[in-house]
Amino acid sequence: MSAPPVTQAAPQVIEEHDPALWREGVKTGLPTLFGIAAWGMVVGIAMVKTGLTVLQASGMTLLVFAGSAQLAALPLILAHAPIWVIFATALVVNLRFVIFSALLAPHFTHLPWRQRLFYGYISGDLTIALFLQRFPTAVPVKGKLSYLKGLMFPNWCAWQAGSLIGIFLGSTIPAEWGLGFAGTLAILCITVPLIVNKAALCGVLVAGTVAVLANGFPYKLGLLVAVVAGMLAALAAENILQRRKGRHG
């Protein structure tokens, strides 16, 4: 009777620091840092203008680290909305990170869960998008984590620096400076080039249209509805495009 075949374990990727890929990650993310800092400053000012103390606003930016969720939660806090509405709104606004995590997970399943949890905290929309542009498949490549760190850490620092500046200077910066509009323009300049396919474009168009139409919803829930509509539209468009490719492939 022959011995059972010996199954070989999948090779583990040993994550060693790769200075070249780390520098490449920093260089790739460098053009986005001004926009990230400007957006962080806008959110910091908004938190103070809403009525949060410097300590509360600083704690929020350090713990939450999600500008869209923070801005969505602020008017709800100001309106004394129920706590479940605030949490539900922040949760739905950040649901896109579930998709981002699913895309990023195959690249780093070999890392300990604490490490993955930490990188999940400091991740951002742009850092994940730029990483997936550089490494579109989960094929093991030495230095992937170094590249990701080169994107994530400067991004996190730029956001926190901008946000804390906005928090501490919020009461002294006049509203007529129009920093909110400047921050919005900076973010648009960064995000537009990341719309790399028809599915993403469809999601952006649907989300933008719904956000305008639902602007009058109470508790700013129009933003929540727009995010969900955009995500569903992008997923539906991706499925349709994949089926068409399958038929003509």
Side-chain angles (χ1 to χ4, degrees), residues 23-38:
R23 286 192 296 269
E24 183 185 339
V26 173
K27 184 178 179 181
T28 301
L30 194 61
T32 70
L33 297 185
F34 172 77
I36 293 297

Side-chain angles (χ1 to χ4, degrees), residues 4 7 66 76 91 146:
T7 57
L76 301 179
L91 176 65
S146 296

Side-chain angles (χ1 to χ4, degrees), residues 88-219:
T89 301
L91 176 65
V92 173
V93 168
N94 276 348
L95 276 179
R96 65 192 187 280
F97 282 99
V98 176
I99 299 174
F100 293 158
S101 298
L103 294 172
L104 207 60
H107 296 267
F108 300 108
T109 51
H110 57 283
L111 294 178
W113 70 267
R114 290 184 181 86
Q115 206 170 345
R116 283 180 280 152
L117 189 64
F118 172 70
Y119 293 130
Y121 159 68
I122 64 171
S123 65
D125 303 68
L126 293 175
T127 57
I128 294 175
L130 291 171
F131 175 84
L132 293 174
Q133 283 186 348
R134 176 64 173 81
F135 297 105
T137 66
V139 176
V141 176
K142 180 184 174 183
K144 273 187 178 182
L145 186 57
S146 296
Y147 184 82
L148 186 66
K149 289 178 181 178
L151 289 170
M152 284 184 171
F153 285 114
N155 179 83
W156 185 88
C157 290
W159 172 269
Q160 298 298 348
S163 187
L164 290 172
I165 289 172
I167 289 168
F168 284 98
L169 298 182
S171 58
T172 62
I173 295 178
E176 54 268 20
W177 281 21
L179 286 178
F181 185 62
T184 302
L185 287 179
I187 294 300
L188 284 174
C189 292
I190 294 169
T191 53
V192 167
L194 297 177
I195 304 172
V196 294
N197 55 44
K198 294 178 180 178
L201 178 60
C202 178
V204 168
L205 292 175
V206 170
T209 302
V210 173
V212 172
L213 295 176
N215 184 51
F217 280 25
Y219 300 129

Side-chain angles (χ1 to χ4, degrees), residues 1-7:
M1 186 175 180
S2 60
V6 178
T7 57

